[in-house]
């Protein structure tokens, strides 16, 4: 049987780090076709097309400088050309672009193909928050798994040891993705609670913004630990609310839960920008432009989506940390309000 064709939809910092792994695993296994197509949003870098740079120098000089990509990973600027013929689609683009991309891809998708989303964020639906995997499922009519974990892209590219979690409602697909993505230093656990895994990936960014506010205010690790713990409690409570029933709390002990939460609250762009927000008089949008070299910030936007749902369900007072991150980012509440929210958290009443 010929190997399965793989397409990576996206080529930013995380997409390029994943391309390193996928390229070398595809080449080494006869289950996958050796050529991996990677869709690249075309832009000019010092007057040259980014796809041309990647295909000649095998390096994404804009989003993952200093790391060579395997030569069998080919950058393609046209999304329809990149995805046609693919058996496996790996989605790793900023979530703002997913609907438009899916619409362009739809006529070119093989009916039996499968997808995995590495996108940490949520989208807005008519009834509030929508999972990105649901949008892909609905628009492309394919089975979608998710991958979330404590995976800072540059460290993964450097092949530092880390773990990650695949959430897959279909165990066979989970195993295919594990084979495609696991390495000696990128260890994967597959669990069936895909929605909880995906929610963790989105909600932890809100908590990271709170952690960044703490850093900006000059509080130490004890305060940040409280933000992390109370944030985790709200993540669990929100997942139960969103999934409308029992949620396996063991999932939060996987890499997608507590591990990703810790790494994002100490590293990561949400924490960094939130700290700068406290120390400067600039808006979140201005800081995103200035500090992130074209990358997108997920935390503040996710807090806005979550706030809408909590408002609808009349549950704002049960989620004071999520709520105060939203109000500080968007409603001009003073950053010090975060500390008041920790002091008066329902957990402490």
């Amino acid at each position: 049987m010929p190997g399965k064709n793989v397409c990576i939809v996206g080529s930013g910092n995380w997409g390029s780090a994943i391309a390193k792994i996928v390229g070398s695993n595809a080449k080494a296994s006869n289950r996958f076709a050796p050529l991996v197509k990677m869709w690249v949003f075309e832009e000019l870098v010092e007057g040259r097309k980014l796809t041309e740079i990647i295909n000649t120098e095998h390096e994404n000089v804009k989003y993952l400088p200093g790391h060579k990509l395997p030569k069998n990973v080919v950058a393609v600027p046209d999304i329809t050309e990149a995805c046609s013929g693919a058996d496996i689609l790996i989605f790793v683009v900023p979530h703002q672009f997913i609907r438009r991309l899916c619409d362009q891809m739809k006529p070119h998708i093989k009916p039996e193909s499968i997808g995995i989303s590495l996108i940490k964020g949520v989208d807005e639906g008519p009834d509030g928050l929508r999972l990105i995997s649901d949008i892909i499922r609905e628009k492309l009519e394919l089975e979608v798994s998710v991958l979330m974990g404590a995976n800072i892209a540059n460290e993964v590219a450097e092949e530092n040891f880390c773990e990650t979690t695949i959430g897959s409602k279909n165990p066979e697909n989970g195993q295919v993705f594990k084979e495609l993505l696991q390495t000696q230093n990128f260890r994967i656990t597959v669990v069936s609670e895909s929605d909880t895994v995906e929610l963790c990936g989105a909600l932890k960014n809100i908590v990271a913004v709170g952690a960044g506010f703490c850093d900006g205010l000059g509080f130490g690790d004890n305060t940040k630990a409280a933000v992390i713990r109370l944030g985790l409690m709200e993540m669990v409570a929100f997942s139960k609310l969103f999934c409308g029933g029992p949620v396996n709390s063991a999932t939060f002990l996987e890499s997608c839960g507590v591990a990703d939460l810790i790494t994002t609250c100490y590293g990561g762009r949400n924490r960094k920008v939130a700290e700068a927000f406290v120390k400067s008089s600039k808006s979140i949008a201005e800081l995103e432009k200035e500090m992130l070299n074209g990358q997108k910030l997920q935390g503040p936007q996710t807090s806005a989506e979550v706030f809408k749902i909590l408002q609808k369900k009349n549950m704002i007072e049960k989620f004071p940390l999520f709520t105060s991150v939203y109000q500080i980012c968007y409603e001009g509440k003073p950053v010090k309000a975060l500390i008041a929210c920790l002091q008066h958290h329902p957990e402490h009443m």
Side-chain angles (χ1 to χ4, degrees):
M1 275 182 65
K4 292 180 185 302
N5 292 315
V6 180
C7 167
I8 303 170
V9 181
S11 59
N13 185 233
W14 186 209
S16 300
I18 280 297
K20 249 188 106 167
I21 291 176
V22 170
S24 55
N25 281 358
K27 202 166 44 184
S29 158
N30 54 11
R31 287 206 46 184
F32 307 104
L35 181 84
V36 174
K37 292 195 227 170
M38 175 168 78
W39 174 69
V40 175
F41 176 74
E42 191 68 279
E43 49 191 309
L44 293 176
V45 178
E46 293 178 357
R48 290 176 69 197
K49 288 180 174 175
L50 184 55
T51 50
E52 193 186 296
I53 298 172
I54 293 172
N55 289 334
T56 52
E57 289 160 37
H58 308 290
E59 183 182 340
N60 186 335
V61 291
K62 178 158 185 188
Y63 296 109
L64 193 68
H67 291 281
K68 288 290 177 204
L69 299 177
K71 291 189 169 124
N72 58 316
V73 174
V74 175
V76 181
D78 178 353
I79 183 64
T80 56
E81 188 191 327
C83 72
S84 61
D87 302 293
I88 295 174
L89 295 152
I90 300 170
F91 294 90
V92 54
V93 288
H95 78 271
Q96 297 88 322
F97 306 133
I98 197 68
R99 288 174 188 274
R100 200 178 71 227
L101 277 170
C102 285
D103 290 339
Q104 292 171 284
M105 292 165 72
K106 177 72 178 122
H108 308 273
I109 294 296
K110 278 170 103 166
E112 66 286 4
S113 59
I114 58 174
I116 187 164
S117 170
L118 278 60
I119 301 168
K120 290 181 178 176
V122 286
D123 201 64
E124 195 180 343
D127 306 316
L129 181 148
R130 290 290 315 276
L131 295 175
I132 302 300
S133 65
D134 282 337
I135 294 169
I136 300 170
R137 249 178 230 117
E138 194 177 283
K139 285 196 169 278
L140 299 181
E141 298 172 40
L142 49 96
E143 278 223 38
V144 185
S145 304
V146 297
L147 179 146
M148 306 281 149
N151 307 140
I152 288 175
N154 291 15
E155 297 181 16
V156 173
E158 277 154 25
E159 297 177 34
N160 294 351
F161 178 84
C162 72
E163 304 171 312
T164 199
T165 312
I166 287 178
S168 189
K169 291 168 189 172
N170 175 322
E172 282 165 34
N173 291 357
Q175 287 311 311
V176 171
F177 290 123
K178 182 170 180 168
E179 190 179 328
L180 179 61
L181 291 158
Q182 179 162 270
T183 71
Q184 205 49 47
N185 286 315
F186 190 65
R187 305 310 287 177
I188 295 173
T189 306
V190 181
V191 301
S192 59
E193 284 210 5
S194 168
D195 292 354
T196 308
V197 171
E198 187 169 1
L199 273 172
C200 283
L203 297 174
K204 54 104 199 190
N205 284 328
I206 306 178
V207 187
V209 173
F213 290 158
C214 268
D215 291 341
L217 291 166
F219 289 96
D221 285 341
N222 295 343
T223 311
K224 198 191 273 197
V227 168
I228 292 172
R229 188 186 78 84
L230 294 167
L232 184 60
M233 303 292 285
E234 291 191 16
M235 283 166 65
V236 175
F238 188 86
S239 298
K240 286 178 180 161
L241 183 71
F242 183 82
C243 297
V247 160
N248 182 359
S249 54
T251 306
F252 293 89
L253 298 176
E254 296 292 347
S255 182
C256 60
V258 70
D260 196 10
L261 184 58
I262 291 167
T263 195
T264 314
C265 287
Y266 278 92
R269 57 185 96 150
N270 289 281
R271 187 217 63 79
K272 191 168 85 174
V273 172
E275 180 179 16
F277 178 78
V278 181
K279 293 179 169 173
S280 74
S281 53
K282 293 174 179 170
S283 71
I284 292 280
E286 285 174 284
L287 292 165
E288 180 183 61
K289 268 202 189 75
E290 251 170 58
M291 297 173 70
L292 295 183
N293 184 30
Q295 292 176 290
K296 295 288 175 212
L297 204 59
Q298 306 285 12
Q301 200 174 347
T302 306
S303 77
E305 302 299 352
V306 164
F307 183 75
K308 278 181 211 153
I309 290 191
L310 296 176
Q311 222 171 5
K312 250 190 202 152
K313 295 194 186 273
N314 237 344
M315 294 192 78
I316 285 171
E317 65 293 335
K318 289 201 160 62
F319 293 85
L321 181 65
F322 286 178
T323 300
S324 78
V325 166
Y326 165 75
Q327 291 170 333
I328 292 163
C329 287
Y330 293 105
E331 293 185 350
K333 240 193 166 174
V335 185
K336 286 202 167 68
L338 182 81
I339 302 304
C341 123
L342 300 177
Q343 291 164 336
H344 304 295
H345 201 281
E347 273 270 291
H348 299 142
M349 292 296 137

